[in-house]
């Protein structure tokens, strides 16, 4: 979706603690490219994580089903409302843009800060049915903010304090020349919900793929693995809702048993990954590989279905569910120390994400290695092969080579964008976190 409307876009520079940085913004409008440069400079200079928050007109059409809705009483909605109200007092641009109540708020976390909570945490999610495109309400097909909007600083007199308890780090950063709004709870909640929504999007896509595969395979053991994982969603959804309202999830939710099922599935994925690497290491280097030999270690690799592809989807599903659980654990950990909110969150999230990043990278390396294999001609006494044999070999080669398409083995940290649709009543919908483009 594209925001074709032009005009002035207020932008807040948000800090998660008191910082001292030189004045780099001024009061003059700036371009999107200049804003991205400024964000990177501030992230490099500041001791505390820095983010920016823009407000754009709400697009006419918005797929809210992709996001996580939060009512007006939720801490994130209240933090955002407080920021808007206080900013409107000292900024005419902010007052004019937010007067209607609704808007699409775009928080961008610099790559340096995003790296603190996992290198592979946020990757592009391809839009269904559109090759090469990614989801995002605000950016166009080239990945740039549409139109010729100018960004103006809007946080001169704003503070975004804590609502409902945790994270009472509020105020305007002083002592330096730049005016930064201290809004640790707002940044924490936006990151937590955006990352959770991103993981939920991956879970939904994995469920779609694996359901179709298992219907074809009729494998009871894999059906059992799938059912155990799919049964974890209810507990995770409830725990997410409670934690985002700054409550405490109890044992009755069943989150402990859900985590056990997810960890068991991750253990199975680790074992299968080790087997795949061993099988690839045993193949003769630089030589064509017989299809029959390959399918013994990777059953169904030459087809759209097959056990190997089901194992891949089960691993994807387990990783997506675990990422949601890790976010919940990090939020709960952060909220136990109101004076060290974002730092606790980032530290807990990064530590627990490392295993998931390594597992995803390991699977990606297997797919890349498989995609580069050359298949050998069928063995037999006959000097001429049938048309069916040739067709099967060509189809298999094509499908195996496709395994490497779109695979990212070692992704570098990028700026992360989290978009929040705010309605007139103050309720919000937080969309999946995505790599930011300007």
């Amino acid at each position: 979706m594209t925001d074709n409307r032009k005009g002035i876009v207020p932008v807040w520079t948000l800090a998660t603690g008191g910082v001292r940085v030189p004045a780099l913004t001024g009061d003059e409008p700036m371009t999107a490219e200049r804003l991205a440069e400024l964000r990177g400079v501030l992230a490099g200079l500041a001791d505390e994580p820095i983010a920016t928050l823009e407000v754009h007109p709400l697009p006419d059409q918005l797929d809210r089903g992709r996001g996580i809705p939060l009512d007006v009483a939720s801490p994130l909605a209240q933090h955002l409302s407080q920021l808007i109200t206080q900013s409107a007092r000292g900024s005419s641009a902010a007052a004019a843009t937010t007067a209607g109540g609704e808007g699409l708020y775009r928080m961008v976390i610099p790559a340096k800060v995003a790296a603190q909570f996992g290198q592979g945490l946020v990757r592009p999610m391809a839009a269904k049915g559109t090759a090469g495109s990614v989801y995002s309400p605000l950016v166009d097909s080239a990945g740039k903010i549409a139109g010729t909007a100018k960004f103006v600083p809007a946080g001169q007199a704003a503070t975004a304090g804590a609502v409902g308890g945790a994270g009472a780090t509020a105020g305007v950063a002083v002592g330096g020349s730049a005016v930064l709004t201290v809004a640790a709870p707002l940044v924490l909640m936006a990151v937590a919900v955006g990352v959770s929504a991103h993981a939920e999007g991956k879970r939904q896509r994995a469920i779609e793929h694996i359901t179709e595969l298992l219907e074809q395979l009729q494998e009871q053991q894999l059906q059992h693995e799938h059912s155990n994982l799919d049964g974890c969603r209810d507990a995770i959804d409830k725990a997410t809702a409670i934690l985002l309202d700054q409550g405490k999830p109890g044992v009755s939710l069943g989150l402990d048993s859900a985590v056990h099922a997810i960890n068991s599935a991750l253990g199975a994925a680790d074992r299968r990954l080790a087997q795949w690497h061993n099988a690839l290491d045993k193949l003769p280097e630089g030589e064509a590989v017989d299809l029959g030999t390959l399918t013994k270690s990777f059953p169904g690799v030459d087809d759209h279905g097959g056990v190997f592809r089901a194992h891949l989807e089960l691993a994807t599903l387990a990783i997506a569910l675990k990422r949601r659980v890790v976010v919940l654990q990090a939020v709960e950990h952060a909220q136990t120390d109101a004076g060290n909110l974002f730092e606790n969150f980032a530290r807990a999230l990064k530590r627990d994400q490392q295993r998931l990043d390594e597992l995803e990278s390991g699977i990606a390396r297997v797919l890349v290695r498989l995609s580069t294999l050359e298949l050998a001609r069928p063995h037999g006494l006959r000097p001429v092969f049938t048309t069916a044999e040739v067709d099967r070999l060509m189809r298999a080669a094509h499908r195996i080579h496709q395994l490497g398409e779109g695979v990212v083995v070692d992704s570098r940290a990028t700026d992360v964008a989290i978009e929040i649709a705010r309605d007139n009543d103050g309720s919000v919908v937080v969309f999946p976190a995505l790599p930011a483009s300007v």
Side-chain angles (χ1 to χ4, degrees), residues 95-119:
T97 307
T98 61
E102 65 179 21
L104 189 61
Y105 292 79
R106 187 174 191 260
M107 182 178 292
V108 180
I109 314 295
K112 175 186 174 182
V113 180
Q116 295 179 20
F117 49 85
Q119 290 288 106

PDB file of all heavy atoms in Angstrom, residues 95-119:
ATOM      1  N   ALA A  95       0.390  18.963  16.371  1.00  0.00           N
ATOM      2  CA  ALA A  95      -1.001  19.245  16.721  1.00  0.00           C
ATOM      3  C   ALA A  95      -1.902  19.098  15.505  1.00  0.00           C
ATOM      4  O   ALA A  95      -2.992  18.509  15.583  1.00  0.00           O
ATOM      5  CB  ALA A  95      -1.111  20.641  17.306  1.00  0.00           C
ATOM      6  N   ALA A  96      -1.474  19.627  14.357  1.00  0.00           N
ATOM      7  CA  ALA A  96      -2.298  19.582  13.151  1.00  0.00           C
ATOM      8  C   ALA A  96      -2.445  18.154  12.634  1.00  0.00           C
ATOM      9  O   ALA A  96      -3.523  17.733  12.208  1.00  0.00           O
ATOM     10  CB  ALA A  96      -1.685  20.471  12.074  1.00  0.00           C
ATOM     11  N   THR A  97      -1.357  17.386  12.680  1.00  0.00           N
ATOM     12  CA  THR A  97      -1.366  16.036  12.117  1.00  0.00           C
ATOM     13  C   THR A  97      -2.136  15.065  12.982  1.00  0.00           C
ATOM     14  O   THR A  97      -2.776  14.138  12.475  1.00  0.00           O
ATOM     15  CB  THR A  97       0.073  15.532  11.911  1.00  0.00           C
ATOM     16  OG1 THR A  97       0.796  16.494  11.150  1.00  0.00           O
ATOM     17  CG2 THR A  97       0.093  14.201  11.193  1.00  0.00           C
ATOM     18  N   THR A  98      -2.089  15.246  14.295  1.00  0.00           N
ATOM     19  CA  THR A  98      -2.722  14.292  15.205  1.00  0.00           C
ATOM     20  C   THR A  98      -4.100  14.734  15.681  1.00  0.00           C
ATOM     21  O   THR A  98      -4.731  14.031  16.468  1.00  0.00           O
ATOM     22  CB  THR A  98      -1.824  14.063  16.438  1.00  0.00           C
ATOM     23  OG1 THR A  98      -1.641  15.318  17.129  1.00  0.00           O
ATOM     24  CG2 THR A  98      -0.470  13.516  16.028  1.00  0.00           C
ATOM     25  N   ALA A  99      -4.585  15.868  15.203  1.00  0.00           N
ATOM     26  CA  ALA A  99      -5.851  16.411  15.687  1.00  0.00           C
ATOM     27  C   ALA A  99      -7.021  15.459  15.447  1.00  0.00           C
ATOM     28  O   ALA A  99      -7.947  15.369  16.263  1.00  0.00           O
ATOM     29  CB  ALA A  99      -6.131  17.761  15.014  1.00  0.00           C
ATOM     30  N   GLY A 100      -6.986  14.727  14.335  1.00  0.00           N
ATOM     31  CA  GLY A 100      -8.084  13.820  14.023  1.00  0.00           C
ATOM     32  C   GLY A 100      -8.131  12.578  14.884  1.00  0.00           C
ATOM     33  O   GLY A 100      -9.127  11.857  14.877  1.00  0.00           O
ATOM     34  N   GLY A 101      -7.036  12.289  15.589  1.00  0.00           N
ATOM     35  CA  GLY A 101      -6.994  11.116  16.451  1.00  0.00           C
ATOM     36  C   GLY A 101      -6.419   9.889  15.795  1.00  0.00           C
ATOM     37  O   GLY A 101      -5.693   9.116  16.418  1.00  0.00           O
ATOM     38  N   GLU A 102      -6.731   9.686  14.525  1.00  0.00           N
ATOM     39  CA  GLU A 102      -6.220   8.492  13.856  1.00  0.00           C
ATOM     40  C   GLU A 102      -4.970   8.813  13.059  1.00  0.00           C
ATOM     41  O   GLU A 102      -4.714   9.963  12.697  1.00  0.00           O
ATOM     42  CB  GLU A 102      -7.286   7.897  12.939  1.00  0.00           C
ATOM     43  CG  GLU A 102      -7.673   8.791  11.782  1.00  0.00           C
ATOM     44  CD  GLU A 102      -8.706   8.154  10.876  1.00  0.00           C
ATOM     45  OE1 GLU A 102      -9.415   7.232  11.321  1.00  0.00           O
ATOM     46  OE2 GLU A 102      -8.785   8.576   9.707  1.00  0.00           O
ATOM     47  N   GLY A 103      -4.181   7.785  12.784  1.00  0.00           N
ATOM     48  CA  GLY A 103      -2.958   7.963  12.013  1.00  0.00           C
ATOM     49  C   GLY A 103      -2.181   6.664  11.967  1.00  0.00           C
ATOM     50  O   GLY A 103      -2.484   5.695  12.684  1.00  0.00           O
ATOM     51  N   LEU A 104      -1.202   6.614  11.095  1.00  0.00           N
ATOM     52  CA  LEU A 104      -0.316   5.461  11.003  1.00  0.00           C
ATOM     53  C   LEU A 104       1.058   5.882  11.507  1.00  0.00           C
ATOM     54  O   LEU A 104       1.746   6.688  10.880  1.00  0.00           O
ATOM     55  CB  LEU A 104      -0.225   4.956   9.562  1.00  0.00           C
ATOM     56  CG  LEU A 104       0.507   3.619   9.393  1.00  0.00           C
ATOM     57  CD1 LEU A 104      -0.221   2.519  10.155  1.00  0.00           C
ATOM     58  CD2 LEU A 104       0.603   3.227   7.931  1.00  0.00           C
ATOM     59  N   TYR A 105       1.435   5.363  12.645  1.00  0.00           N
ATOM     60  CA  TYR A 105       2.692   5.714  13.296  1.00  0.00           C
ATOM     61  C   TYR A 105       3.746   4.686  12.919  1.00  0.00           C
ATOM     62  O   TYR A 105       3.508   3.479  13.015  1.00  0.00           O
ATOM     63  CB  TYR A 105       2.502   5.783  14.811  1.00  0.00           C
ATOM     64  CG  TYR A 105       1.637   6.937  15.241  1.00  0.00           C
ATOM     65  CD1 TYR A 105       0.243   6.865  15.128  1.00  0.00           C
ATOM     66  CD2 TYR A 105       2.201   8.115  15.711  1.00  0.00           C
ATOM     67  CE1 TYR A 105      -0.558   7.941  15.482  1.00  0.00           C
ATOM     68  CE2 TYR A 105       1.404   9.197  16.071  1.00  0.00           C
ATOM     69  CZ  TYR A 105       0.025   9.102  15.951  1.00  0.00           C
ATOM     70  OH  TYR A 105      -0.758  10.160  16.301  1.00  0.00           O
ATOM     71  N   ARG A 106       4.900   5.186  12.512  1.00  0.00           N
ATOM     72  CA  ARG A 106       5.979   4.316  12.030  1.00  0.00           C
ATOM     73  C   ARG A 106       7.213   4.532  12.893  1.00  0.00           C
ATOM     74  O   ARG A 106       7.883   5.552  12.806  1.00  0.00           O
ATOM     75  CB  ARG A 106       6.290   4.631  10.566  1.00  0.00           C
ATOM     76  CG  ARG A 106       7.279   3.681   9.900  1.00  0.00           C
ATOM     77  CD  ARG A 106       7.376   4.013   8.413  1.00  0.00           C
ATOM     78  NE  ARG A 106       8.088   3.008   7.664  1.00  0.00           N
ATOM     79  CZ  ARG A 106       9.357   3.105   7.289  1.00  0.00           C
ATOM     80  NH1 ARG A 106      10.067   4.181   7.614  1.00  0.00           N
ATOM     81  NH2 ARG A 106       9.931   2.150   6.600  1.00  0.00           N
ATOM     82  N   MET A 107       7.488   3.540  13.759  1.00  0.00           N
ATOM     83  CA  MET A 107       8.674   3.604  14.598  1.00  0.00           C
ATOM     84  C   MET A 107       9.810   2.853  13.904  1.00  0.00           C
ATOM     85  O   MET A 107       9.631   1.715  13.455  1.00  0.00           O
ATOM     86  CB  MET A 107       8.412   2.974  15.969  1.00  0.00           C
ATOM     87  CG  MET A 107       9.613   3.054  16.914  1.00  0.00           C
ATOM     88  SD  MET A 107       9.274   2.347  18.555  1.00  0.00           S
ATOM     89  CE  MET A 107       8.086   3.536  19.182  1.00  0.00           C
ATOM     90  N   VAL A 108      10.966   3.497  13.802  1.00  0.00           N
ATOM     91  CA  VAL A 108      12.124   2.874  13.161  1.00  0.00           C
ATOM     92  C   VAL A 108      13.230   2.731  14.195  1.00  0.00           C
ATOM     93  O   VAL A 108      13.650   3.706  14.827  1.00  0.00           O
ATOM     94  CB  VAL A 108      12.612   3.697  11.950  1.00  0.00           C
ATOM     95  CG1 VAL A 108      13.819   3.008  11.304  1.00  0.00           C
ATOM     96  CG2 VAL A 108      11.489   3.849  10.927  1.00  0.00           C
ATOM     97  N   ILE A 109      13.691   1.494  14.362  1.00  0.00           N
ATOM     98  CA  ILE A 109      14.779   1.170  15.281  1.00  0.00           C
ATOM     99  C   ILE A 109      16.052   1.022  14.466  1.00  0.00           C
ATOM    100  O   ILE A 109      16.104   0.215  13.538  1.00  0.00           O
ATOM    101  CB  ILE A 109      14.497  -0.148  16.025  1.00  0.00           C
ATOM    102  CG1 ILE A 109      13.057  -0.186  16.555  1.00  0.00           C
ATOM    103  CG2 ILE A 109      15.510  -0.373  17.140  1.00  0.00           C
ATOM    104  CD1 ILE A 109      12.755   0.825  17.602  1.00  0.00           C
ATOM    105  N   PRO A 110      17.115   1.800  14.753  1.00  0.00           N
ATOM    106  CA  PRO A 110      18.351   1.703  13.967  1.00  0.00           C
ATOM    107  C   PRO A 110      18.974   0.313  14.033  1.00  0.00           C
ATOM    108  O   PRO A 110      18.758  -0.441  14.993  1.00  0.00           O
ATOM    109  CB  PRO A 110      19.267   2.742  14.626  1.00  0.00           C
ATOM    110  CG  PRO A 110      18.357   3.682  15.324  1.00  0.00           C
ATOM    111  CD  PRO A 110      17.189   2.847  15.780  1.00  0.00           C
ATOM    112  N   ALA A 111      19.751  -0.010  13.001  1.00  0.00           N
ATOM    113  CA  ALA A 111      20.370  -1.333  12.905  1.00  0.00           C
ATOM    114  C   ALA A 111      21.221  -1.659  14.133  1.00  0.00           C
ATOM    115  O   ALA A 111      21.227  -2.796  14.616  1.00  0.00           O
ATOM    116  CB  ALA A 111      21.225  -1.407  11.639  1.00  0.00           C
ATOM    117  N   LYS A 112      21.925  -0.664  14.657  1.00  0.00           N
ATOM    118  CA  LYS A 112      22.773  -0.897  15.831  1.00  0.00           C
ATOM    119  C   LYS A 112      21.943  -1.385  17.006  1.00  0.00           C
ATOM    120  O   LYS A 112      22.354  -2.278  17.751  1.00  0.00           O
ATOM    121  CB  LYS A 112      23.508   0.393  16.203  1.00  0.00           C
ATOM    122  CG  LYS A 112      24.322   0.291  17.489  1.00  0.00           C
ATOM    123  CD  LYS A 112      24.898   1.633  17.887  1.00  0.00           C
ATOM    124  CE  LYS A 112      25.584   1.563  19.251  1.00  0.00           C
ATOM    125  NZ  LYS A 112      26.113   2.892  19.663  1.00  0.00           N
ATOM    126  N   VAL A 113      20.774  -0.795  17.186  1.00  0.00           N
ATOM    127  CA  VAL A 113      19.891  -1.191  18.280  1.00  0.00           C
ATOM    128  C   VAL A 113      19.213  -2.520  17.959  1.00  0.00           C
ATOM    129  O   VAL A 113      19.079  -3.391  18.825  1.00  0.00           O
ATOM    130  CB  VAL A 113      18.842  -0.103  18.548  1.00  0.00           C
ATOM    131  CG1 VAL A 113      17.921  -0.496  19.691  1.00  0.00           C
ATOM    132  CG2 VAL A 113      19.527   1.229  18.845  1.00  0.00           C
ATOM    133  N   ALA A 114      18.787  -2.695  16.705  1.00  0.00           N
ATOM    134  CA  ALA A 114      18.123  -3.935  16.304  1.00  0.00           C
ATOM    135  C   ALA A 114      19.029  -5.141  16.519  1.00  0.00           C
ATOM    136  O   ALA A 114      18.564  -6.227  16.866  1.00  0.00           O
ATOM    137  CB  ALA A 114      17.694  -3.853  14.841  1.00  0.00           C
ATOM    138  N   ALA A 115      20.327  -4.950  16.328  1.00  0.00           N
ATOM    139  CA  ALA A 115      21.273  -6.049  16.524  1.00  0.00           C
ATOM    140  C   ALA A 115      21.298  -6.526  17.971  1.00  0.00           C
ATOM    141  O   ALA A 115      21.693  -7.659  18.251  1.00  0.00           O
ATOM    142  CB  ALA A 115      22.671  -5.613  16.105  1.00  0.00           C
ATOM    143  N   GLN A 116      20.876  -5.674  18.890  1.00  0.00           N
ATOM    144  CA  GLN A 116      20.874  -6.044  20.296  1.00  0.00           C
ATOM    145  C   GLN A 116      19.835  -7.119  20.596  1.00  0.00           C
ATOM    146  O   GLN A 116      19.957  -7.832  21.582  1.00  0.00           O
ATOM    147  CB  GLN A 116      20.591  -4.818  21.174  1.00  0.00           C
ATOM    148  CG  GLN A 116      21.669  -3.747  21.109  1.00  0.00           C
ATOM    149  CD  GLN A 116      21.326  -2.556  21.982  1.00  0.00           C
ATOM    150  OE1 GLN A 116      20.513  -2.658  22.882  1.00  0.00           O
ATOM    151  NE2 GLN A 116      21.945  -1.420  21.715  1.00  0.00           N
ATOM    152  N   PHE A 117      18.802  -7.221  19.768  1.00  0.00           N
ATOM    153  CA  PHE A 117      17.823  -8.266  20.038  1.00  0.00           C
ATOM    154  C   PHE A 117      17.735  -9.290  18.916  1.00  0.00           C
ATOM    155  O   PHE A 117      16.683  -9.831  18.618  1.00  0.00           O
ATOM    156  CB  PHE A 117      16.436  -7.681  20.378  1.00  0.00           C
ATOM    157  CG  PHE A 117      15.903  -6.632  19.460  1.00  0.00           C
ATOM    158  CD1 PHE A 117      15.232  -6.969  18.313  1.00  0.00           C
ATOM    159  CD2 PHE A 117      16.037  -5.293  19.781  1.00  0.00           C
ATOM    160  CE1 PHE A 117      14.694  -6.007  17.492  1.00  0.00           C
ATOM    161  CE2 PHE A 117      15.510  -4.307  18.954  1.00  0.00           C
ATOM    162  CZ  PHE A 117      14.837  -4.673  17.809  1.00  0.00           C
ATOM    163  N   GLY A 118      18.880  -9.613  18.299  1.00  0.00           N
ATOM    164  CA  GLY A 118      18.934 -10.737  17.385  1.00  0.00           C
ATOM    165  C   GLY A 118      19.190 -10.342  15.946  1.00  0.00           C
ATOM    166  O   GLY A 118      18.447  -9.569  15.378  1.00  0.00           O
ATOM    167  N   GLN A 119      20.254 -10.905  15.353  1.00  0.00           N
ATOM    168  CA  GLN A 119      20.604 -10.596  13.973  1.00  0.00           C
ATOM    169  C   GLN A 119      19.531 -11.066  12.998  1.00  0.00           C
ATOM    170  O   GLN A 119      19.161 -10.352  12.078  1.00  0.00           O
ATOM    171  CB  GLN A 119      21.931 -11.276  13.617  1.00  0.00           C
ATOM    172  CG  GLN A 119      23.152 -10.689  14.314  1.00  0.00           C
ATOM    173  CD  GLN A 119      23.534  -9.333  13.778  1.00  0.00           C
ATOM    174  OE1 GLN A 119      23.324  -8.320  14.418  1.00  0.00           O
ATOM    175  NE2 GLN A 119      24.094  -9.309  12.601  1.00  0.00           N
TER     176      GLN A 119
END
